[in-house]
Amino acid sequence: MLEEERWIEKDISEGKGEDEFNQHADQDDAYPTLFEDSFDEFDALPMPRHKLDREESRRKMTLCVVAYGLDLVLVSAWAFALGALFTLPYCGLLFRCGCTWVWAGGIERCNIFDPEAPSCPFCTLSSALAWIPQWGTALLSIFTTLCVCWIPQRLSLHRLGWLVRVLLPIACFFVYTFLLALIVKLASPHYPYFLWLG
């Protein structure tokens, strides 16, 4: 034991112990720097390809849902606005019943209020069918427009612009309303007027 203490004192007197301690301390200080450099290199690594693809797919799906939702809302609003605006004057044109624009009196001059004139079959539909001329044709217009615009887009054939979304509901409304009015006229042979007939 005394021999070991003598050797330790000798090393300290010669400065060997302090040099070894400082050397070990320098090595210990180098470890955090080594680990920090490793973490920096890890952060700099590119993200795996499958994760990038997943993030890109998620972003595209979100944009797709927003685009289709906005498309549906705008086309629906336009189709229902057309139905509310043109149903009565179109009825007055087809059946010559006296219906006109809402701001000009609407249904007030319709022949259903004249006991001596035949009643317009379009204006006297049963309560179960009365919603079809205005809202039913609007729903058909929405369905047709979205099918025409969405199906080619989903098949990657071509993308139709907003001009189609504006004009197609107008055409669909007038065509579907005319077909419905023709069915009502054929089911009501007692009514004498339809367009230029009668």
Side-chain angles (χ1 to χ4, degrees):
M1 188 68 181
L2 294 174
E3 186 69 22
E4 292 180 359
E5 292 179 355
R6 193 177 299 111
W7 278 106
I8 292 173
E9 291 177 358
K10 182 179 180 181
D11 291 338
I12 292 175
S13 62
E14 295 178 356
K16 293 182 180 180
E18 185 176 357
D19 293 339
E20 292 179 359
F21 176 79
N22 293 334
Q23 183 178 1
H24 289 298
D26 293 339
Q27 291 178 357
D28 293 339
D29 292 339
Y31 288 135
T33 305
L34 177 63
F35 285 120
E36 289 176 0
D37 293 342
S38 300
F39 287 131
D40 292 339
E41 291 178 1
F42 178 78
D43 292 338
L45 291 176
M47 188 178 294
R49 182 64 184 176
H50 67 278
K51 290 187 178 180
L52 290 175
D53 293 341
R54 191 181 305 164
E55 291 294 330
E56 184 68 16
S57 298
R58 189 177 303 169
R59 187 183 67 84
K60 287 183 179 180
M61 180 62 68
T62 302
L63 293 176
C64 184
V65 170
V66 172
Y68 278 110
L70 182 62
D71 205 2
L72 175 61
V73 170
L74 294 178
V75 170
S76 300
W78 176 234
F80 283 121
L82 290 173
L85 183 63
F86 288 105
T87 297
L88 288 180
Y90 198 35
C91 174
L93 174 66
L94 295 175
F95 290 96
R96 292 189 286 169
C97 60
C99 290
T100 185
W101 303 101
V102 176
W103 57 83
I107 201 174
E108 293 179 358
R109 298 179 183 178
C110 182
N111 55 19
I112 61 175
F113 300 108
D114 187 356
E116 299 181 357
S119 296
C120 173
F122 213 53
C123 297
T124 55
L125 288 173
S126 63
S127 57
L129 301 176
W131 63 276
I132 295 179
Q134 181 171 341
W135 307 118
T137 52
L139 291 174
L140 285 175
S141 300
I142 295 169
F143 178 77
T144 303
T145 302
L146 294 181
C147 285
V148 170
C149 293
W150 286 1
I151 291 177
Q153 183 174 332
R154 293 301 298 171
L155 295 178
S156 300
L157 297 178
H158 59 280
R159 181 180 178 86
L160 300 177
W162 280 105
L163 185 61
V164 176
R165 289 164 169 80
V166 172
L167 298 179
L168 190 57
I170 298 175
C172 289
F173 171 78
F174 285 108
V175 171
Y176 289 144
T177 304
F178 176 81
L179 295 176
L180 178 62
L182 183 60
I183 294 173
V184 172
K185 175 64 178 73
L186 295 177
S188 307
H190 63 279
Y191 189 76
Y193 307 116
F194 188 75
L195 289 176
W196 62 87
L197 302 178

